[in-house]
């Protein structure tokens, strides 16, 4: 019995709990349905209210649109009325003008008829007078006209010949004097000092002990410096001085500055020499640009590109017949400007052409053409005016001068070069001989650089170690020597030194 109670009580509790749960769920469902009904009713009321509001807004908007449309229609009607009024007025004016034009046409027709009548009367009178004149003079109209023209022509020729004779006499009396005045004025305003550059320079030493350090162990220091710069360093018994010899002023300047810095620094060894030479080379290149800019600034010339600046700046380190080419070019430019002003030519064109007339001497690439042809080609590539190009090409009469400015450049160049002491023929010939010597060696395949040193008694040649093996260097030297014997004329003998080396650079980081 006890066990039955234990079973019945839990079952009754579960049943009772389920009944309470069902009653609660039913109550919740009823409440949710009532809430849903209320929400639905509220939503319907709100939708109806919104519907009424929307309808009201639509009616108001419709009324506003209708009023706006009516206003626009009224304005359009008013505008049409005004336009119609203007058109009517214009039609009235056109009608009035048309009537006036018709009246004027009638008057013009009447006047034209009267003029025709008068012209017919005048022609009859003119014909009558002409017949009378021909009867009196015994000449026809054509004969009289030819006689008058012939008399006028004779008078004009006589007057013109008299004027030409007068001008010719005055020109003969004043032309030579005027030309002398122009040249003297130009020369007087551009008087400059004469200069003579040498192909050797001397570097002072703090003591004779420095000579040994410059030479280095087994001559490696001096050999490295000569190889990198392409100059000949002469160390003799001259106290506290060494001599740098080179026909190329740019190389000579690089060697001089590099040697002075090495002496000041005190550390003289191949690696340091190479570092200093590279640094000085960059500085000299910068100096070239600066000298080009300075020359343009001094002369007031503008719009020159970088190639032109470099070509002009290189002239600072070039000499011709012992005369500094940049100084000579600036002098010629000023002379040309003055001469052009005196004769009424284009000053700016003459000055620009005169400054550029010798840029071929500063060309970095060697050529078989003369410096006038090279300079003209450089100017053409730089985009210079064809008149400037012609003046450059014609300043030594290689081509015909096409402008008065080209002739002025020739005259100014001759004046600058003709000053006492301005040029020395022997120096230019010497430089040309050394340049030909180097050029002959560079024509061979595998030659990277060639330097004429010791006043042309030695030719030092650097060859490409990848193109020329060791067993071919000797044969190449013989070929170059034979070519020099065939093509060039020189005193004594020339020593040919071939240099072939392998250089490997790596960095530990």
């Amino acid at each position: 019995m006890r066990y039955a109670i234990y079973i019945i009580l839990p079952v009754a509790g579960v049943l009772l709990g389920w009944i309470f749960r069902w009653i609660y769920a039913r109550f919740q469902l009823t409440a949710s349905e009532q809430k849903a009904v209320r929400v639905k009713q509220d939503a319907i009321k709100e939708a109806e209210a919104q519907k009424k509001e929307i309808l009201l807004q639509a009616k108001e908007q419709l009324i506003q649109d209708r009023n706006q449309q009516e206003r626009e229609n009224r304005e359009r009607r008013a505008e049409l009325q005004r336009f119609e009024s203007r058109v009517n007025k214009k039609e009235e004016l056109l009608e009035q003008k048309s009537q006036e034009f018709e009246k004027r046409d009638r008057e013009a027709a009447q006047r034209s008829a009267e003029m025709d009548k008068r012209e017919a009367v005048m022609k009859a009178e003119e014909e009558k007078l002409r017949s009378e004149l021909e009867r009196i003079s015994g000449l026809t109209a054509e004969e009289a006209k030819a006689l008058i023209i012939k008399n006028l022509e004779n008078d004009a020729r006589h007057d013109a010949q008299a004027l030409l004779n007068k001008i010719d006499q005055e020109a003969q009396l004043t032309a030579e004097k005027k030309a002398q005045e122009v040249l003297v004025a130009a020369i007087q305003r551009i008087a400059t000092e004469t200069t003579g550059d040498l192909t050797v320079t001397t570097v002072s030493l703090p003591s004779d002990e420095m000579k040994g350090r410059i030479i280095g162990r087994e001559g490696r220091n001096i050999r490295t410096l000569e190889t990198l710069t392409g100059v000949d360093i002469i160390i003799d018994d001259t106290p506290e001085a060494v001599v740098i010899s080179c026909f190329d002023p740019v190389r000579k300047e690089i060697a001089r500055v590099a040697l002075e810095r090495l002496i000041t620094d005190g550390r003289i060894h191949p690696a340091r020499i190479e570092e200093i030479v590279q640094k000085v080379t960059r500085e000299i290149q910068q100096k070239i640009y600066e000298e080009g800019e300075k020359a343009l600034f001094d002369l007031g010339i503008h719009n020159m590109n970088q190639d032109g600046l470099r070509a002009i700046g290189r002239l600072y380190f070039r000499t011709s017949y012992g005369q500094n080419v940049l100084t000579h070019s600036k002098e010629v430019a000023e002379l040309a400007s003055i001469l052009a002003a005196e004769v009424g030519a284009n000053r700016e064109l003459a000055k620009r052409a005169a400054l550029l007339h010798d840029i071929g001497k500063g060309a970095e690439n060697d050529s078989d053409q003369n410096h006038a042809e090279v300079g003209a080609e450089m100017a053409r590539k730089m985009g210079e005016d064809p008149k400037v190009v012609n003046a450059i090409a014609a300043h030594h009469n290689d081509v015909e001068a096409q402008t008065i400015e080209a002739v002025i450049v020739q005259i100014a160049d001759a004046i600058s070069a003709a000053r006492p002491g301005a040029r020395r023929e022997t120096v230019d010939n010497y430089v040309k001989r050394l340049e030909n010597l180097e050029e002959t060696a560079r024509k061979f395949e595998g030659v990277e650089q060639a330097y004429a040193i010791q006043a042309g008694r030695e030719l030092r040649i650097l060859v490409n170690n990848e193109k020329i093996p060791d067993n071919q260097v000797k044969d190449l030297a013989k070929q170059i020597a034979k070519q020099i014997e065939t093509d060039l004329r020189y005193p004594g003998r020339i020593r040919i030194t071939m240099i072939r080396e392998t250089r490997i650079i790596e960095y530990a980081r």
Side-chain angles (χ1 to χ4, degrees):
M1 188 63 180
R2 183 183 300 172
Y3 294 112
I5 293 173
Y6 289 157
I7 294 172
I8 293 170
L9 286 176
V11 171
V14 171
L15 183 60
L16 185 61
W18 180 84
I19 294 171
F20 285 150
R21 175 65 180 170
W22 182 83
I23 294 171
Y24 178 75
R26 188 67 179 175
F27 177 76
Q28 289 291 333
L29 179 61
T30 302
S32 298
E33 290 176 351
Q34 293 176 355
K35 184 176 180 180
V37 171
R38 289 196 301 271
V39 170
K40 181 178 179 182
Q41 292 175 353
D42 293 341
I44 292 172
K45 291 179 180 180
E46 185 177 356
E48 290 178 352
Q50 290 180 354
K51 180 179 178 182
K52 292 178 179 180
E53 184 177 358
I54 291 171
L55 291 173
L56 183 60
Q57 291 178 355
K59 290 179 180 179
E60 292 177 354
Q61 184 66 34
L62 182 62
I63 292 171
Q64 291 178 359
D65 293 344
R66 185 181 299 167
N67 293 335
Q68 179 68 23
Q69 187 66 31
E70 290 178 355
R71 285 196 299 271
E72 292 179 355
N73 290 336
R74 287 196 297 270
E75 292 176 356
R76 290 177 180 175
R77 284 195 296 271
E79 181 66 26
L80 287 173
Q81 290 175 357
R82 290 193 295 271
F83 180 74
E84 186 177 0
S85 177
R86 289 196 299 271
V87 170
N88 292 333
K89 290 180 179 179
K90 289 183 178 180
E91 288 179 353
E92 293 176 358
L93 292 174
L94 289 173
E95 184 65 25
Q96 293 177 359
K97 290 182 178 180
S98 176
Q99 293 176 358
E100 292 178 357
F101 286 146
E102 291 177 356
K103 183 179 179 180
R104 290 179 181 178
D105 288 341
R106 289 193 297 271
E107 293 176 353
Q110 293 176 359
R111 291 177 182 176
S112 177
E114 293 177 357
M115 292 296 295
D116 291 340
K117 291 179 181 180
R118 292 181 181 179
E119 185 176 357
V121 173
M122 293 296 295
K123 284 183 177 179
E125 292 292 333
E126 182 180 356
E127 186 65 27
K128 184 178 180 179
L129 291 173
R130 181 182 294 110
S131 300
E132 187 66 19
L133 286 173
E134 289 178 357
R135 186 182 66 78
I136 294 172
S137 63
L139 297 174
T140 64
E142 294 298 328
E143 291 174 348
K145 186 187 298 183
L147 181 61
I148 293 172
I149 292 174
K150 184 176 180 180
N151 291 333
L152 291 175
E153 184 178 356
N154 292 333
D155 293 340
R157 285 182 178 179
H158 181 269
D159 294 341
Q161 187 63 41
L163 181 60
L164 287 174
N165 293 336
K166 182 180 178 181
I167 293 173
D168 188 33
Q169 292 174 0
E170 291 179 353
Q172 290 178 356
L173 293 174
T174 61
E176 185 174 355
K177 182 178 179 181
K178 183 63 177 177
Q180 291 175 350
E181 290 177 355
V182 170
L183 292 177
V184 169
I187 296 171
Q188 184 181 16
R189 291 168 60 183
I190 192 58
T192 58
E193 298 180 356
T194 58
T195 59
D197 292 348
L198 302 176
T199 58
V200 297
T201 186
T202 302
V203 178
S204 300
L205 304 178
S207 64
D208 285 338
E209 296 178 357
M210 185 60 68
K211 293 183 179 179
R213 298 182 61 185
I214 293 174
I215 296 173
R217 183 181 301 175
E218 298 179 356
R220 63 176 186 173
N221 291 346
I222 190 172
R223 187 166 56 252
T224 301
L225 186 57
E226 288 179 340
T227 301
L228 292 174
T229 59
V231 302
D232 185 20
I233 299 177
I234 302 171
I235 300 178
D236 51 19
D237 296 335
T238 305
E240 298 181 354
V242 296
V243 177
I244 299 175
S245 175
C246 182
F247 71 95
D248 189 333
V250 177
R251 297 185 210 160
K252 183 180 66 177
E253 182 67 12
I254 292 173
R256 182 188 67 79
V257 176
L259 185 57
E260 289 179 350
R261 292 190 182 179
L262 288 168
I263 293 170
T264 303
D265 183 62
R267 294 176 293 171
I268 304 177
H269 52 82
R272 181 64 176 169
I273 292 172
E274 184 174 358
E275 179 183 352
I276 292 295
V277 169
Q278 291 177 355
K279 183 177 181 181
V280 172
T281 301
R282 290 192 296 268
E283 293 176 357
I284 294 299
Q285 294 300 324
Q286 181 63 29
K287 177 71 172 176
I288 289 173
Y289 280 107
E290 292 175 356
E291 288 298 330
E293 291 177 348
K294 183 176 182 297
L296 294 177
F297 179 79
D298 292 342
L299 296 172
I301 297 176
H302 309 287
N303 301 326
M304 186 73 67
N305 58 26
Q306 293 295 323
D307 292 337
L309 279 174
R310 182 178 177 83
I312 294 171
R314 283 184 61 83
L315 300 181
Y316 177 78
F317 297 100
R318 301 290 296 182
T319 58
S320 178
Y321 298 94
Q323 187 180 29
N324 183 274
V325 179
L326 181 57
T327 303
H328 164 69
S329 298
K330 292 169 65 176
E331 182 180 82
V332 173
E334 295 181 5
L335 282 168
S337 176
I338 296 170
L339 291 172
E342 293 290 341
V343 300
N346 189 328
R347 291 186 60 184
E348 297 301 322
L349 179 64
K351 183 164 60 175
R352 191 180 188 94
L355 177 63
L356 298 175
H357 81 283
D358 271 347
I359 59 170
K361 293 183 178 180
E364 296 178 307
N365 297 326
D366 294 331
S367 174
D368 294 335
Q369 298 175 315
N370 60 41
H371 72 276
E373 296 172 339
V374 174
E377 183 64 25
M378 292 174 64
R380 188 178 295 107
K381 291 180 179 179
M382 292 187 298
E384 291 293 332
D385 191 291
K387 295 180 180 179
V388 174
V389 175
N390 174 255
I392 296 172
H395 79 275
H396 283 319
N397 293 315
D398 295 315
V399 299
E400 183 179 356
Q402 299 175 356
T403 61
I404 184 64
E405 289 79 12
V407 178
I408 290 173
V409 171
Q410 290 181 349
I411 297 171
D413 184 35
I415 293 173
S416 175
R419 291 185 292 103
R423 290 189 166 189
R424 291 200 297 272
E425 178 75 24
T426 55
V427 175
D428 191 78
N429 290 339
Y430 163 74
V431 172
K432 188 65 177 177
R433 180 170 63 85
L434 298 186
E435 289 177 345
N436 292 336
L437 189 62
E438 290 185 348
E439 180 61 24
T440 301
R442 292 196 189 101
K443 292 179 180 178
F444 287 84
E445 185 178 2
V447 174
E448 289 188 338
Q449 279 297 341
Y451 301 107
I453 60 176
Q454 293 184 0
R457 292 190 297 273
E458 179 178 354
L459 181 62
R460 189 163 295 169
I461 301 172
L462 303 179
V463 299
N464 190 321
N465 64 315
E466 296 179 356
K467 295 182 179 180
I468 307 296
D470 282 335
N471 57 359
Q472 295 183 9
V473 173
K474 188 174 181 179
D475 294 335
L476 179 60
K478 290 181 178 179
Q479 294 176 13
I480 294 174
K482 186 176 180 180
Q483 191 68 34
I484 291 173
E485 292 173 357
T486 303
D487 296 344
L488 304 180
R489 295 182 179 180
Y490 50 91
R493 65 178 184 176
I494 298 175
R495 177 183 177 184
I496 299 175
T497 303
M498 308 291 291
I499 300 175
R500 179 185 181 276
E501 63 177 359
T502 302
R503 182 176 300 184
I504 300 173
I505 301 175
E506 187 55 60
Y507 298 94
R509 297 180 177 85

Coordinates of all heavy atoms in Angstrom, one line a residue, residues 322-350:
G322 N 98.0 78.9 -77.8 CA 98.4 79.5 -76.6 C 97.3 80.5 -76.0 O 97.6 81.1 -75.0
Q323 N 96.2 80.6 -76.6 CA 95.1 81.5 -76.2 C 94.0 80.7 -75.6 O 93.5 79.7 -76.1 CB 94.6 82.3 -77.4 CG 93.6 83.4 -77.0 CD 93.2 84.2 -78.3 OE1 93.1 83.6 -79.3 NE2 92.9 85.5 -78.1
N324 N 93.5 81.1 -74.4 CA 92.4 80.4 -73.7 C 91.2 80.6 -74.6 O 90.8 81.7 -74.9 CB 92.2 81.0 -72.3 CG 91.1 80.3 -71.6 OD1 89.9 80.6 -71.8 ND2 91.4 79.3 -70.8
V325 N 90.6 79.5 -74.9 CA 89.5 79.5 -75.9 C 88.2 80.2 -75.4 O 87.5 80.9 -76.1 CB 89.1 78.1 -76.4 CG1 88.0 78.1 -77.4 CG2 90.4 77.4 -77.0
L326 N 87.9 80.0 -74.0 CA 86.7 80.6 -73.5 C 86.9 82.1 -73.4 O 86.0 82.9 -73.7 CB 86.5 80.0 -72.1 CG 85.2 80.6 -71.4 CD1 84.0 80.4 -72.3 CD2 85.0 80.0 -70.0
T327 N 88.1 82.6 -73.0 CA 88.4 84.0 -73.0 C 88.3 84.6 -74.4 O 87.7 85.7 -74.6 CB 89.8 84.3 -72.4 OG1 89.8 83.7 -71.0 CG2 90.0 85.7 -72.3
H328 N 88.8 83.9 -75.3 CA 88.8 84.3 -76.7 C 87.3 84.4 -77.2 O 86.9 85.3 -77.9 CB 89.6 83.3 -77.6 CG 89.3 83.4 -79.0 ND1 89.7 84.5 -79.8 CD2 88.7 82.5 -79.9 CE1 89.3 84.3 -81.1 NE2 88.7 83.1 -81.1
S329 N 86.5 83.4 -76.8 CA 85.1 83.3 -77.3 C 84.3 84.5 -76.7 O 83.5 85.1 -77.4 CB 84.5 82.0 -76.9 OG 85.1 80.9 -77.6
K330 N 84.5 84.8 -75.4 CA 83.8 85.9 -74.8 C 84.3 87.2 -75.4 O 83.4 88.1 -75.6 CB 84.1 85.9 -73.3 CG 83.5 84.7 -72.5 CD 84.0 84.6 -71.1 CE 83.6 85.8 -70.3 NZ 84.1 85.6 -68.8
E331 N 85.5 87.3 -75.7 CA 86.0 88.5 -76.3 C 85.4 88.7 -77.7 O 85.0 89.8 -78.1 CB 87.6 88.5 -76.4 CG 88.2 89.7 -77.0 CD 89.7 89.5 -77.1 OE1 90.2 88.9 -78.0 OE2 90.4 90.0 -76.2
V332 N 85.4 87.6 -78.5 CA 84.8 87.7 -79.8 C 83.3 88.0 -79.7 O 82.7 88.8 -80.5 CB 84.9 86.3 -80.5 CG1 84.2 86.3 -81.9 CG2 86.4 86.1 -80.8
A333 N 82.6 87.5 -78.7 CA 81.2 87.8 -78.5 C 80.9 89.3 -78.2 O 80.0 89.9 -78.8 CB 80.6 87.0 -77.4
E334 N 81.8 89.9 -77.4 CA 81.6 91.3 -77.1 C 82.0 92.2 -78.3 O 81.3 93.2 -78.6 CB 82.5 91.7 -75.9 CG 82.1 91.0 -74.6 CD 82.9 91.4 -73.4 OE1 83.8 92.3 -73.6 OE2 82.7 90.9 -72.3
L335 N 83.0 91.8 -79.0 CA 83.4 92.5 -80.3 C 82.2 92.4 -81.3 O 81.9 93.4 -81.9 CB 84.7 91.9 -80.8 CG 86.0 92.4 -80.2 CD1 87.1 91.5 -80.7 CD2 86.3 93.8 -80.5
A336 N 81.7 91.2 -81.4 CA 80.6 91.1 -82.4 C 79.4 91.9 -82.0 O 78.7 92.5 -82.9 CB 80.2 89.6 -82.5
S337 N 79.1 91.9 -80.7 CA 77.9 92.7 -80.3 C 78.1 94.2 -80.6 O 77.2 94.9 -81.1 CB 77.7 92.5 -78.8 OG 76.7 93.3 -78.3
I338 N 79.3 94.7 -80.4 CA 79.6 96.1 -80.6 C 79.6 96.4 -82.1 O 79.0 97.4 -82.6 CB 81.0 96.5 -80.0 CG1 80.9 96.4 -78.5 CG2 81.4 97.9 -80.4 CD1 82.3 96.5 -77.8
L339 N 80.2 95.6 -82.9 CA 80.2 95.8 -84.4 C 78.8 95.7 -84.9 O 78.4 96.5 -85.8 CB 81.1 94.7 -85.0 CG 82.6 94.8 -84.8 CD1 83.3 93.6 -85.4 CD2 83.1 96.1 -85.4
A340 N 78.0 94.8 -84.4 CA 76.6 94.7 -84.9 C 75.8 95.9 -84.6 O 75.0 96.4 -85.4 CB 75.9 93.4 -84.3
A341 N 76.0 96.5 -83.4 CA 75.3 97.7 -83.0 C 75.8 98.9 -83.9 O 74.9 99.7 -84.2 CB 75.6 98.0 -81.5
E342 N 77.0 98.9 -84.3 CA 77.5 100.0 -85.1 C 76.9 99.9 -86.5 O 76.7 101.0 -87.1 CB 79.1 99.9 -85.2 CG 79.7 100.2 -83.8 CD 79.6 101.7 -83.4 OE1 79.3 102.5 -84.3 OE2 79.8 102.0 -82.3
V343 N 76.7 98.7 -87.0 CA 76.3 98.6 -88.4 C 74.8 98.3 -88.5 O 74.2 98.2 -89.6 CB 77.1 97.5 -89.2 CG1 78.5 97.8 -89.2 CG2 76.8 96.1 -88.5
G344 N 74.1 98.3 -87.4 CA 72.6 98.1 -87.4 C 72.2 96.6 -87.6 O 71.1 96.4 -88.0
A345 N 73.0 95.7 -87.2 CA 72.7 94.2 -87.4 C 72.1 93.8 -86.0 O 71.9 94.5 -85.1 CB 73.9 93.4 -87.7
N346 N 71.7 92.5 -86.0 CA 71.1 91.9 -84.8 C 72.2 91.6 -83.7 O 73.0 90.7 -83.9 CB 70.4 90.6 -85.2 CG 69.5 90.0 -84.0 OD1 69.9 90.2 -82.9 ND2 68.4 89.4 -84.4
R347 N 72.2 92.4 -82.7 CA 73.3 92.3 -81.7 C 73.2 90.9 -81.0 O 74.2 90.3 -80.8 CB 73.1 93.4 -80.6 CG 73.4 94.8 -81.2 CD 73.5 95.8 -80.0 NE 74.5 95.5 -79.0 CZ 74.6 96.1 -77.9 NH1 73.8 97.2 -77.6 NH2 75.6 95.8 -77.0
E348 N 72.0 90.5 -80.5 CA 71.9 89.3 -79.7 C 72.3 88.1 -80.6 O 73.0 87.2 -80.1 CB 70.4 89.1 -79.2 CG 70.0 90.2 -78.3 CD 70.9 90.3 -77.1 OE1 71.3 89.2 -76.6 OE2 71.2 91.4 -76.6
L349 N 71.9 88.0 -81.8 CA 72.2 86.9 -82.7 C 73.7 86.9 -82.9 O 74.3 85.8 -82.9 CB 71.5 87.0 -84.0 CG 71.8 86.0 -85.1 CD1 71.3 84.6 -84.6 CD2 71.1 86.3 -86.4
A350 N 74.3 88.0 -83.2 CA 75.8 88.1 -83.4 C 76.6 87.7 -82.2 O 77.5 86.9 -82.3 CB 76.2 89.5 -83.9

